Amino acid sequence: LRIFFFSLQFGRTEVIDNTLNPDFVRKYILDYFFEEKQNLRFDMYDVDSKSPDLSKHDFLGQVFCTLGEVVGSPASRLEKPLGGIPGKKCGSIVLTAEELGNCRDFATMQFCANKLDKKDFFGKSDPFMVFYRSNEDGTFTICHKTEVVKNTLNPVWQSFTIPVRGLCNGDYDRTIKVEVYDWDRDGSHDFIGEFTTSYRELARGQSQFNIYEVVNPKKKMKKKKYANSGTVSVSYGAAEGDVSTRLSAIKRLTSDLTGNPSQSTSLHYMNPYQMNAYAMALKAVGEIIQDYDSDKMFPALGFGAKLPPDGRVFHEFPLNGNIENPYCNGIEGILEAYHQSLKTVQLYGPTNFAPVVNHVARYAAAVQDGSQYFVLLIITDGVISDMAQTKEAIVNVSFIVCVTVVTLANFSPSSAMVELDGDDIRISSRGKLAERDIVQFVPFRDYMDRTGNHVLSMARLAKDVLAEIPDQFISYMKSRGIKPNPAPPPYTPAGHTHHTQI
């Protein structure tokens, strides 16, 4: 037996002779991207000869899935039935995934210095350090800057945590350059000196080998007796695993219902030949993120509509019409509920975000043990009518919920949207700052392909919509002191003494 996968063939396993329950040893390393849909196909053959031509062998069945399905399954183990031969049971295939962890670690370090050069005329120095990651072309990219310690030649900087991949791209022996400066108010900071090291050295922590001479190359060239401009020592160095390796998410999807769906100018227009913008955005994002939900049941809410029978305006209602159970079965279930709601409700403004944000917050507040993480996707026409209330709601839920806003408007993003995004200035309300940046704003119009290739444009949309979620998830777990659960024991099939992974 042999297994093959990918339409563009990626690899072939070894052949295991004379068995109906093969346990393949050969493994494959794939780049995994949370925010992308990575389709896989596995084909199984019974090998009859040494010929590499697949037509010379018996086809036993195939399986289609995504890499996200495998990673998102319990213990990252996915079992699916083989298909592809009508009317025949072809058995099943078990797929397991294991993350290569060395480049997803986080480094926590602390530094101190001794006898740095005096740079200030009326004082000592106000030193800070800048860390640079080396690139393959020999250049350097800044990756961290410490705080300034005022008026001292023997500073002790605060400890900091940084992803190892940000520090050295996961290569423990890659050069790290550190520059030491004296801070000046006008920004013309004085260069004190520099040194180079590697993460492998820094991770050893405090030792005689982690004391570095801070050297100013210009001084060294001019002064024969020049030794150094001080020393920097590692006070503490350690690595910790990334909690994203145990990602488990619950999603809430929300659609703004405004406009007349019977008119072709409406964003909700129900064209019999193609999906409207709301449906395309829901499908593009939902098909990827659903792989990380265990039961594939999603509560979907609408807002901004008059509901039967009395025509009252609601800013928070279940798309499927069931107040007791707003859950929809998969993304197709959400799309079906969305299309049915367009036939029964009257779309009506204004566009209020606060009710649905608070709705999700009530669920999230009840589950803060790390077993669930809530992502709120809002698809809207780009106008916010309750800005003050929305800001207050986001500030209040910033410690438990992640919010992504996709606006379908054809005009430039409003100042309100930019303010909610909070990339430049952290959002605040009533003098209270949001605990973290939880809002991401994505303008749909930037992803419309003029050639009509909606598949590629929607893939780019989904990638950008979901790009910030892993880091937001990690920051939430770390802020709560929640660590990953222990890895489950290896799966051992009945009658086997070991189990290897595909």
Side-chain angles (χ1 to χ4, degrees):
L1 284 174
R2 173 170 282 178
I3 188 173
F4 307 95
F5 62 102
F6 279 101
S7 296
L8 173 63
Q9 190 179 121
F10 186 83
R12 301 186 180 192
T13 69
E14 73 279 12
V15 176
I16 300 180
D17 295 328
N18 196 29
T19 180
L20 299 180
N21 301 290
D23 195 359
F24 299 103
V25 175
R26 189 170 299 164
K27 300 177 179 66
Y28 298 92
I29 297 176
L30 306 177
D31 290 326
Y32 164 61
F33 302 99
F34 168 83
E35 67 273 16
E36 296 183 15
K37 185 177 184 180
Q38 297 173 269
N39 293 312
L40 304 176
R41 190 184 89 195
F42 297 83
D43 292 353
M44 189 79 74
Y45 287 86
D46 175 33
V47 173
D48 295 321
S49 68
K50 294 183 178 180
S51 173
D53 185 355
L54 296 181
S55 65
K56 304 293 185 182
H57 308 289
D58 298 325
F59 177 68
L60 299 180
Q62 65 182 189
V63 160
F64 295 87
C65 66
T66 67
L67 184 55
E69 280 185 84
V70 183
V71 173
S73 298
S76 295
R77 178 184 180 273
L78 176 67
E79 183 171 357
K80 297 192 75 170
L82 289 163
I85 303 178
K88 182 179 179 181
K89 291 184 178 180
C90 303
S92 62
I93 186 172
V94 176
L95 310 169
T96 59
E98 181 181 18
E99 185 177 36
L100 299 178
N102 65 337
C103 66
R104 290 188 180 273
D105 289 343
F106 280 73
T108 299
M109 296 178 288
Q110 185 177 24
F111 294 83
C112 62
N114 186 46
K115 296 182 179 179
L116 294 177
D117 283 354
K118 178 179 178 298
K119 290 291 185 178
D120 293 340
F121 186 80
F122 293 107
K124 298 179 180 178
S125 286
D126 305 319
F128 67 96
M129 294 195 298
V130 182
F131 290 74
Y132 297 88
R133 178 184 69 246
S134 62
N135 304 315
E136 293 182 356
D137 60 359
T139 61
F140 288 86
T141 301
I142 186 171
C143 57
H144 181 73
K145 184 184 294 184
T146 70
E147 78 282 5
V148 176
V149 181
K150 292 292 189 71
N151 197 33
T152 179
L153 302 181
N154 303 293
V156 177
W157 288 282
Q158 295 178 10
S159 63
F160 62 91
T161 301
I162 185 173
V164 172
R165 61 187 177 190
L167 194 62
C168 60
N169 203 28
D171 181 355
Y172 284 21
D173 297 308
R174 181 173 294 199
T175 299
I176 298 171
K177 183 173 71 171
V178 184
E179 295 179 343
V180 184
Y181 289 88
D182 167 50
W183 178 84
D184 288 331
R185 187 181 300 275
D186 61 3
S188 59
H189 311 306
D190 300 315
F191 179 68
I192 294 176
E194 62 184 18
F195 64 92
T196 59
T197 182
S198 68
Y199 177 66
R200 189 179 301 279
E201 295 294 330
L202 296 175
R204 293 176 179 174
Q206 188 176 22
S207 74
Q208 60 179 342
F209 303 106
N210 265 337
I211 300 176
Y212 302 93
E213 290 189 340
V214 179
V215 176
N216 186 322
K218 291 184 178 180
K219 281 190 173 183
K220 188 174 182 178
M221 290 179 61
K222 292 179 180 180
K223 299 180 180 180
K224 292 182 180 181
K225 294 184 179 181
Y226 174 81
N228 58 59
S229 295
T231 59
V232 168
S233 305
V234 179
S235 302
Y236 176 81
E240 58 184 270
D242 181 347
V243 298
S244 67
T245 59
R246 296 291 179 264
L247 181 62
S248 176
I250 281 186
K251 282 70 59 182
R252 295 192 161 266
L253 297 120
T254 303
S255 179
D256 167 27
L257 298 180
T258 54
N260 189 338
S262 64
Q263 298 178 355
S264 60
T265 55
S266 171
L267 294 170
H268 292 283
Y269 178 58
M270 298 176 66
N271 189 325
Y273 303 106
Q274 67 180 35
M275 292 189 294
N276 63 29
Y278 278 87
M280 282 196 291
L282 272 171
K283 188 175 178 67
V285 177
E287 282 188 340
I288 293 176
I289 203 169
Q290 71 175 350
D291 288 339
Y292 304 92
D293 185 84
S294 57
D295 60 8
K296 305 295 187 290
M297 298 298 292
F298 303 92
L301 307 174
F303 58 103
K306 290 183 177 180
L307 271 61
D310 54 3
R312 289 174 54 199
V313 177
F314 283 83
H315 297 290
E316 169 199 347
F317 63 91
L319 285 184
N320 64 5
N322 188 338
I323 296 177
E324 300 298 326
N325 183 14
Y327 288 81
C328 301
N329 188 3
I331 299 306
E332 294 303 321
I334 294 177
L335 290 172
E336 181 180 355
Y338 164 61
H339 289 133
Q340 287 299 319
S341 69
L342 291 178
K343 299 175 183 178
T344 59
V345 305
Q346 180 185 350
L347 309 184
Y348 201 84
T351 302
N352 293 343
F353 282 7
V356 290
V357 174
N358 289 326
H359 177 102
V360 177
R362 289 193 293 271
Y363 282 86
V367 187
Q368 297 189 51
D369 59 358
S371 63
Q372 298 177 359
Y373 185 67
F374 290 78
V375 177
L376 169 62
L377 170 65
I378 298 177
I379 303 176
T380 180
D381 60 6
V383 178
I384 305 175
S385 305
D386 63 339
M387 185 62 180
Q389 294 86 345
T390 297
K391 287 172 60 177
E392 183 171 4
I394 288 174
V395 168
N396 290 337
V397 305
S398 60
F399 66 100
I400 50 175
V401 177
C402 169
V403 181
T404 296
V405 181
V406 177
T407 177
L408 306 181
N410 289 321
F411 46 79
S412 299
S414 65
S415 58
M417 284 292 184
V418 174
E419 182 179 358
L420 287 181
D421 194 84
D423 284 343
D424 298 323
I425 301 175
R426 184 70 58 86
I427 189 174
S428 64
S429 176
R430 301 177 186 266
K432 179 182 177 182
L433 280 173
E435 183 173 311
R436 58 197 182 107
D437 178 16
I438 64 165
V439 179
Q440 184 181 12
F441 162 72
V442 180
F444 186 84
R445 65 172 190 154
D446 291 351
Y447 300 87
M448 293 305 297
D449 193 316
R450 295 181 180 178
T451 65
N453 190 337
H454 294 313
V455 174
L456 288 178
S457 58
M458 290 304 96
R460 289 193 300 111
L461 171 71
K463 181 177 180 179
D464 287 353
V465 165
L466 300 172
E468 294 184 5
I469 290 178
D471 285 340
Q472 290 170 335
F473 174 82
I474 293 168
S475 72
Y476 168 77
M477 295 298 179
K478 289 176 75 68
S479 69
R480 296 292 174 273
I482 300 171
K483 296 185 179 298
N485 292 327
Y491 171 77
T492 303
H496 287 61
T497 58
H498 70 282
H499 176 70
T500 52
Q501 298 170 320
I502 295 174

